[in-house]
Amino acid sequence: MTVSVRGRGGDAEAMCPQRLVLEHVTSRWGVQVLIRLLERPYRFSELRRAIGRVSEKMLTQTLQTLERDGMVHRDARPVIPPRVDYSLTGLGREAAEQVRDLALWTDRRMTDVLAARQAYDEARAP
């Protein structure tokens, strides 16, 4: 199968486009954006406050990447002051639900993960 790719990261996308999409969806900020946008559409500043500890640059890059992948819709309205809302597309909602389920599983099983880490570390301690 030949993959035709244009834009940033063309060589990597041609080699393994699925891996790149997975990286975008499961990145630190990608997860947060997708889960938040499941709730409702957000303006940029609202989304940044809701997520917390994300720089303006990283949030912009994350939103642009998810928009390019077809997961986020950017609605820019020509009003004064300018208004830009971000929401999930159908594809984005589907991905966000999967990511949210994984995040919920992590919350439920964190005690088990911590116990496994402790057992691992103790077994390898000198």
Short mmCIF file of all heavy atoms in Angstrom, two decimals, residues 53-99:
data_model
loop_
_atom_site.label_atom_id
_atom_site.label_comp_id
_atom_site.label_asym_id
_atom_site.label_seq_id
_atom_site.Cartn_x
_atom_site.Cartn_y
_atom_site.Cartn_z
N ARG A 53 -1.73 24.09 33.86
CA ARG A 53 -0.31 23.80 33.66
C ARG A 53 0.11 23.50 32.23
O ARG A 53 1.12 22.84 32.02
CB ARG A 53 0.14 22.69 34.59
CG ARG A 53 0.04 23.06 36.04
CD ARG A 53 0.54 22.02 37.00
NE ARG A 53 1.28 20.95 36.37
CZ ARG A 53 1.32 19.71 36.83
NH1 ARG A 53 0.64 19.39 37.89
NH2 ARG A 53 2.03 18.79 36.22
N VAL A 54 -0.65 23.93 31.26
CA VAL A 54 -0.24 23.77 29.87
C VAL A 54 0.09 25.16 29.33
O VAL A 54 -0.66 26.11 29.56
CB VAL A 54 -1.33 23.08 29.00
CG1 VAL A 54 -2.63 23.86 28.98
CG2 VAL A 54 -0.83 22.82 27.58
N SER A 55 1.20 25.26 28.63
CA SER A 55 1.57 26.55 28.07
C SER A 55 0.67 26.86 26.87
O SER A 55 0.10 25.97 26.25
CB SER A 55 3.04 26.55 27.62
OG SER A 55 3.21 25.73 26.48
N GLU A 56 0.59 28.13 26.57
CA GLU A 56 -0.21 28.55 25.41
C GLU A 56 0.33 27.89 24.14
O GLU A 56 -0.43 27.42 23.30
CB GLU A 56 -0.16 30.07 25.29
CG GLU A 56 -1.07 30.63 24.23
CD GLU A 56 -1.14 32.14 24.27
OE1 GLU A 56 -1.19 32.71 25.38
OE2 GLU A 56 -1.14 32.74 23.18
N LYS A 57 1.64 27.84 24.02
CA LYS A 57 2.28 27.24 22.83
C LYS A 57 1.92 25.76 22.70
O LYS A 57 1.56 25.29 21.62
CB LYS A 57 3.80 27.41 22.91
CG LYS A 57 4.54 26.79 21.76
CD LYS A 57 6.04 26.95 21.91
CE LYS A 57 6.76 26.24 20.78
NZ LYS A 57 8.21 26.34 20.91
N MET A 58 2.02 25.01 23.80
CA MET A 58 1.74 23.57 23.73
C MET A 58 0.27 23.31 23.45
O MET A 58 -0.07 22.39 22.69
CB MET A 58 2.14 22.88 25.04
CG MET A 58 3.62 22.61 25.16
SD MET A 58 4.36 21.76 23.73
CE MET A 58 3.40 20.30 23.62
N LEU A 59 -0.61 24.10 24.04
CA LEU A 59 -2.03 23.91 23.77
C LEU A 59 -2.35 24.24 22.31
O LEU A 59 -3.09 23.50 21.66
CB LEU A 59 -2.88 24.76 24.71
CG LEU A 59 -4.39 24.60 24.56
CD1 LEU A 59 -4.82 23.14 24.70
CD2 LEU A 59 -5.12 25.48 25.57
N THR A 60 -1.76 25.30 21.80
CA THR A 60 -1.96 25.66 20.38
C THR A 60 -1.48 24.54 19.48
O THR A 60 -2.19 24.13 18.55
CB THR A 60 -1.22 26.97 20.05
OG1 THR A 60 -1.77 28.02 20.84
CG2 THR A 60 -1.34 27.32 18.58
N GLN A 61 -0.29 24.02 19.74
CA GLN A 61 0.26 22.93 18.92
C GLN A 61 -0.62 21.68 19.00
O GLN A 61 -0.87 21.02 17.98
CB GLN A 61 1.68 22.60 19.35
CG GLN A 61 2.69 23.63 18.96
CD GLN A 61 4.09 23.31 19.48
OE1 GLN A 61 4.28 22.42 20.31
NE2 GLN A 61 5.06 24.05 18.99
N THR A 62 -1.08 21.35 20.19
CA THR A 62 -1.91 20.17 20.38
C THR A 62 -3.22 20.32 19.62
O THR A 62 -3.66 19.40 18.92
CB THR A 62 -2.17 19.92 21.88
OG1 THR A 62 -0.91 19.73 22.53
CG2 THR A 62 -3.06 18.72 22.10
N LEU A 63 -3.86 21.47 19.75
CA LEU A 63 -5.12 21.71 19.05
C LEU A 63 -4.93 21.66 17.54
O LEU A 63 -5.74 21.07 16.82
CB LEU A 63 -5.73 23.05 19.48
CG LEU A 63 -6.33 23.07 20.88
CD1 LEU A 63 -6.57 24.50 21.35
CD2 LEU A 63 -7.62 22.26 20.93
N GLN A 64 -3.85 22.25 17.05
CA GLN A 64 -3.59 22.23 15.61
C GLN A 64 -3.35 20.81 15.10
O GLN A 64 -3.85 20.43 14.04
CB GLN A 64 -2.39 23.12 15.27
CG GLN A 64 -2.69 24.59 15.36
CD GLN A 64 -1.45 25.46 15.18
OE1 GLN A 64 -0.31 25.00 15.26
NE2 GLN A 64 -1.68 26.75 14.93
N THR A 65 -2.61 20.03 15.87
CA THR A 65 -2.34 18.65 15.49
C THR A 65 -3.63 17.83 15.46
O THR A 65 -3.88 17.09 14.50
CB THR A 65 -1.34 18.01 16.47
OG1 THR A 65 -0.10 18.74 16.39
CG2 THR A 65 -1.09 16.55 16.14
N LEU A 66 -4.46 17.98 16.49
CA LEU A 66 -5.71 17.23 16.54
C LEU A 66 -6.69 17.73 15.48
O LEU A 66 -7.47 16.93 14.93
CB LEU A 66 -6.32 17.31 17.93
CG LEU A 66 -5.52 16.60 19.04
CD1 LEU A 66 -6.10 16.90 20.41
CD2 LEU A 66 -5.47 15.10 18.78
N GLU A 67 -6.63 19.01 15.16
CA GLU A 67 -7.47 19.53 14.07
C GLU A 67 -7.01 18.94 12.74
O GLU A 67 -7.82 18.51 11.92
CB GLU A 67 -7.39 21.06 14.04
CG GLU A 67 -8.26 21.68 12.96
CD GLU A 67 -8.15 23.20 12.90
OE1 GLU A 67 -7.30 23.79 13.60
OE2 GLU A 67 -8.93 23.78 12.13
N ARG A 68 -5.72 18.89 12.53
CA ARG A 68 -5.16 18.32 11.29
C ARG A 68 -5.55 16.84 11.14
O ARG A 68 -5.82 16.37 10.04
CB ARG A 68 -3.64 18.47 11.29
CG ARG A 68 -2.99 17.96 10.02
CD ARG A 68 -1.52 18.34 9.98
NE ARG A 68 -0.95 17.87 8.73
CZ ARG A 68 -0.07 16.87 8.66
NH1 ARG A 68 0.35 16.26 9.74
NH2 ARG A 68 0.40 16.50 7.49
N ASP A 69 -5.59 16.13 12.26
CA ASP A 69 -5.96 14.71 12.24
C ASP A 69 -7.47 14.50 12.12
O ASP A 69 -7.93 13.37 12.08
CB ASP A 69 -5.46 14.01 13.51
CG ASP A 69 -3.96 13.78 13.51
OD1 ASP A 69 -3.32 13.89 12.44
OD2 ASP A 69 -3.41 13.48 14.59
N GLY A 70 -8.24 15.59 12.11
CA GLY A 70 -9.68 15.48 11.93
C GLY A 70 -10.45 15.22 13.21
O GLY A 70 -11.61 14.81 13.16
N MET A 71 -9.83 15.48 14.35
CA MET A 71 -10.47 15.17 15.63
C MET A 71 -11.08 16.40 16.31
O MET A 71 -12.00 16.26 17.09
CB MET A 71 -9.47 14.52 16.56
CG MET A 71 -8.89 13.31 15.89
SD MET A 71 -8.48 12.04 16.99
CE MET A 71 -7.60 10.99 15.86
N VAL A 72 -10.52 17.55 16.02
CA VAL A 72 -10.98 18.79 16.63
C VAL A 72 -11.46 19.74 15.54
O VAL A 72 -10.84 19.86 14.48
CB VAL A 72 -9.84 19.45 17.46
CG1 VAL A 72 -10.21 20.87 17.88
CG2 VAL A 72 -9.53 18.61 18.69
N HIS A 73 -12.57 20.40 15.82
CA HIS A 73 -13.11 21.42 14.92
C HIS A 73 -12.84 22.79 15.54
O HIS A 73 -13.13 23.01 16.71
CB HIS A 73 -14.61 21.23 14.72
CG HIS A 73 -15.23 22.33 13.93
ND1 HIS A 73 -15.02 22.49 12.59
CD2 HIS A 73 -16.04 23.35 14.32
CE1 HIS A 73 -15.68 23.55 12.17
NE2 HIS A 73 -16.30 24.09 13.20
N ARG A 74 -12.27 23.68 14.74
CA ARG A 74 -11.99 25.05 15.18
C ARG A 74 -12.99 25.96 14.50
O ARG A 74 -13.04 26.05 13.28
CB ARG A 74 -10.57 25.43 14.78
CG ARG A 74 -10.15 26.82 15.19
CD ARG A 74 -8.70 27.08 14.74
NE ARG A 74 -8.24 28.35 15.23
CZ ARG A 74 -8.38 29.50 14.59
NH1 ARG A 74 -8.99 29.55 13.41
NH2 ARG A 74 -7.91 30.62 15.11
N ASP A 75 -13.78 26.65 15.30
CA ASP A 75 -14.81 27.55 14.79
C ASP A 75 -14.42 28.98 15.12
O ASP A 75 -14.59 29.43 16.26
CB ASP A 75 -16.17 27.21 15.40
CG ASP A 75 -17.29 28.07 14.87
OD1 ASP A 75 -17.16 28.63 13.76
OD2 ASP A 75 -18.31 28.19 15.57
N ALA A 76 -13.86 29.69 14.15
CA ALA A 76 -13.43 31.07 14.34
C ALA A 76 -14.52 32.00 13.83
O ALA A 76 -14.90 31.93 12.66
CB ALA A 76 -12.12 31.33 13.61
N ARG A 77 -15.01 32.85 14.71
CA ARG A 77 -16.08 33.78 14.34
C ARG A 77 -15.53 35.19 14.21
O ARG A 77 -14.84 35.67 15.13
CB ARG A 77 -17.19 33.75 15.37
CG ARG A 77 -17.82 32.37 15.45
CD ARG A 77 -18.92 32.34 16.44
NE ARG A 77 -19.34 30.94 16.63
CZ ARG A 77 -20.10 30.55 17.59
NH1 ARG A 77 -20.56 31.42 18.47
NH2 ARG A 77 -20.44 29.29 17.70
N PRO A 78 -15.83 35.86 13.12
CA PRO A 78 -15.29 37.21 12.89
C PRO A 78 -16.08 38.27 13.65
O PRO A 78 -16.80 39.08 13.05
CB PRO A 78 -15.42 37.38 11.38
CG PRO A 78 -16.60 36.55 11.02
CD PRO A 78 -16.59 35.37 11.98
N VAL A 79 -15.97 38.25 14.95
CA VAL A 79 -16.63 39.25 15.79
C VAL A 79 -15.55 39.99 16.56
O VAL A 79 -14.39 39.60 16.56
CB VAL A 79 -17.64 38.59 16.76
CG1 VAL A 79 -18.78 37.94 16.00
CG2 VAL A 79 -16.96 37.58 17.67
N ILE A 80 -15.95 41.05 17.22
CA ILE A 80 -15.00 41.81 18.02
C ILE A 80 -15.42 41.71 19.48
O ILE A 80 -16.54 42.10 19.80
CB ILE A 80 -14.93 43.28 17.56
CG1 ILE A 80 -14.46 43.32 16.11
CG2 ILE A 80 -14.02 44.08 18.47
CD1 ILE A 80 -14.44 44.68 15.50
N PRO A 81 -14.58 41.20 20.36
CA PRO A 81 -13.28 40.58 20.05
C PRO A 81 -13.48 39.24 19.34
O PRO A 81 -14.54 38.63 19.45
CB PRO A 81 -12.66 40.38 21.44
CG PRO A 81 -13.82 40.24 22.37
CD PRO A 81 -14.92 41.11 21.79
N PRO A 82 -12.44 38.78 18.64
CA PRO A 82 -12.56 37.50 17.92
C PRO A 82 -12.92 36.37 18.87
O PRO A 82 -12.49 36.35 20.03
CB PRO A 82 -11.16 37.28 17.34
CG PRO A 82 -10.54 38.62 17.34
CD PRO A 82 -11.13 39.39 18.48
N ARG A 83 -13.73 35.45 18.39
CA ARG A 83 -14.14 34.30 19.21
C ARG A 83 -13.80 33.02 18.45
O ARG A 83 -14.20 32.85 17.30
CB ARG A 83 -15.64 34.36 19.50
CG ARG A 83 -16.09 33.20 20.36
CD ARG A 83 -17.57 33.21 20.63
NE ARG A 83 -17.92 32.01 21.36
CZ ARG A 83 -18.27 31.99 22.62
NH1 ARG A 83 -18.34 33.11 23.30
NH2 ARG A 83 -18.59 30.86 23.20
N VAL A 84 -13.08 32.15 19.13
CA VAL A 84 -12.72 30.86 18.56
C VAL A 84 -13.16 29.78 19.54
O VAL A 84 -12.78 29.81 20.71
CB VAL A 84 -11.21 30.75 18.28
CG1 VAL A 84 -10.86 29.38 17.70
CG2 VAL A 84 -10.75 31.86 17.35
N ASP A 85 -13.97 28.87 19.05
CA ASP A 85 -14.42 27.74 19.86
C ASP A 85 -13.84 26.45 19.30
O ASP A 85 -13.71 26.29 18.08
CB ASP A 85 -15.95 27.64 19.84
CG ASP A 85 -16.61 28.79 20.57
OD1 ASP A 85 -16.30 29.00 21.75
OD2 ASP A 85 -17.44 29.48 19.94
N TYR A 86 -13.53 25.54 20.20
CA TYR A 86 -13.01 24.23 19.82
C TYR A 86 -14.00 23.16 20.28
O TYR A 86 -14.51 23.22 21.40
CB TYR A 86 -11.64 23.97 20.46
CG TYR A 86 -10.59 24.91 19.93
CD1 TYR A 86 -10.33 26.12 20.56
CD2 TYR A 86 -9.87 24.59 18.79
CE1 TYR A 86 -9.37 26.99 20.06
CE2 TYR A 86 -8.90 25.45 18.29
CZ TYR A 86 -8.67 26.65 18.93
OH TYR A 86 -7.72 27.50 18.43
N SER A 87 -14.26 22.21 19.41
CA SER A 87 -15.15 21.10 19.73
C SER A 87 -14.62 19.84 19.05
O SER A 87 -13.72 19.91 18.22
CB SER A 87 -16.58 21.40 19.26
OG SER A 87 -16.59 21.60 17.86
N LEU A 88 -15.20 18.72 19.42
CA LEU A 88 -14.80 17.45 18.82
C LEU A 88 -15.60 17.19 17.56
O LEU A 88 -16.79 17.50 17.49
CB LEU A 88 -15.01 16.30 19.80
CG LEU A 88 -14.13 16.28 21.03
CD1 LEU A 88 -14.55 15.15 21.96
CD2 LEU A 88 -12.67 16.16 20.65
N THR A 89 -14.96 16.59 16.59
CA THR A 89 -15.67 16.06 15.43
C THR A 89 -16.19 14.67 15.82
O THR A 89 -15.90 14.19 16.93
CB THR A 89 -14.70 15.91 14.24
OG1 THR A 89 -13.69 14.95 14.59
CG2 THR A 89 -14.05 17.25 13.86
N GLY A 90 -16.91 14.02 14.94
CA GLY A 90 -17.36 12.66 15.22
C GLY A 90 -16.17 11.73 15.46
O GLY A 90 -16.19 10.91 16.40
N LEU A 91 -15.15 11.87 14.65
CA LEU A 91 -13.94 11.07 14.80
C LEU A 91 -13.26 11.36 16.13
O LEU A 91 -12.83 10.45 16.84
CB LEU A 91 -12.98 11.39 13.64
CG LEU A 91 -11.73 10.56 13.47
CD1 LEU A 91 -12.07 9.11 13.18
CD2 LEU A 91 -10.89 11.14 12.33
N GLY A 92 -13.20 12.64 16.48
CA GLY A 92 -12.60 13.05 17.75
C GLY A 92 -13.37 12.54 18.95
O GLY A 92 -12.79 12.12 19.95
N ARG A 93 -14.70 12.57 18.86
CA ARG A 93 -15.53 12.06 19.96
C ARG A 93 -15.26 10.57 20.17
O ARG A 93 -15.12 10.10 21.31
CB ARG A 93 -17.01 12.30 19.66
CG ARG A 93 -17.93 11.81 20.76
CD ARG A 93 -19.31 12.40 20.66
NE ARG A 93 -19.30 13.84 20.88
CZ ARG A 93 -19.19 14.43 22.08
NH1 ARG A 93 -19.09 13.68 23.16
NH2 ARG A 93 -19.18 15.73 22.20
N GLU A 94 -15.17 9.84 19.08
CA GLU A 94 -14.90 8.40 19.18
C GLU A 94 -13.54 8.14 19.84
O GLU A 94 -13.43 7.32 20.75
CB GLU A 94 -14.91 7.81 17.77
CG GLU A 94 -14.95 6.32 17.70
CD GLU A 94 -15.09 5.83 16.26
OE1 GLU A 94 -15.68 6.53 15.41
OE2 GLU A 94 -14.57 4.73 16.01
N ALA A 95 -12.52 8.88 19.43
CA ALA A 95 -11.18 8.73 20.03
C ALA A 95 -11.21 9.16 21.49
O ALA A 95 -10.63 8.49 22.36
CB ALA A 95 -10.16 9.55 19.25
N ALA A 96 -11.88 10.27 21.78
CA ALA A 96 -11.94 10.79 23.15
C ALA A 96 -12.60 9.81 24.10
O ALA A 96 -12.19 9.66 25.25
CB ALA A 96 -12.66 12.13 23.17
N GLU A 97 -13.64 9.13 23.64
CA GLU A 97 -14.30 8.15 24.50
C GLU A 97 -13.36 7.00 24.83
O GLU A 97 -13.35 6.50 25.96
CB GLU A 97 -15.58 7.65 23.83
CG GLU A 97 -16.67 8.71 23.82
CD GLU A 97 -17.86 8.37 22.93
OE1 GLU A 97 -17.80 7.36 22.18
OE2 GLU A 97 -18.85 9.13 22.98
N GLN A 98 -12.55 6.58 23.86
CA GLN A 98 -11.58 5.51 24.11
C GLN A 98 -10.51 5.97 25.10
O GLN A 98 -10.16 5.24 26.04
CB GLN A 98 -10.91 5.07 22.79
CG GLN A 98 -11.86 4.53 21.75
CD GLN A 98 -12.53 3.25 22.21
OE1 GLN A 98 -11.90 2.37 22.78
NE2 GLN A 98 -13.82 3.14 21.96
N VAL A 99 -10.01 7.18 24.91
CA VAL A 99 -8.98 7.72 25.80
C VAL A 99 -9.54 7.91 27.21
O VAL A 99 -8.88 7.60 28.20
CB VAL A 99 -8.44 9.06 25.22
CG1 VAL A 99 -7.58 9.79 26.23
CG2 VAL A 99 -7.66 8.80 23.95
#
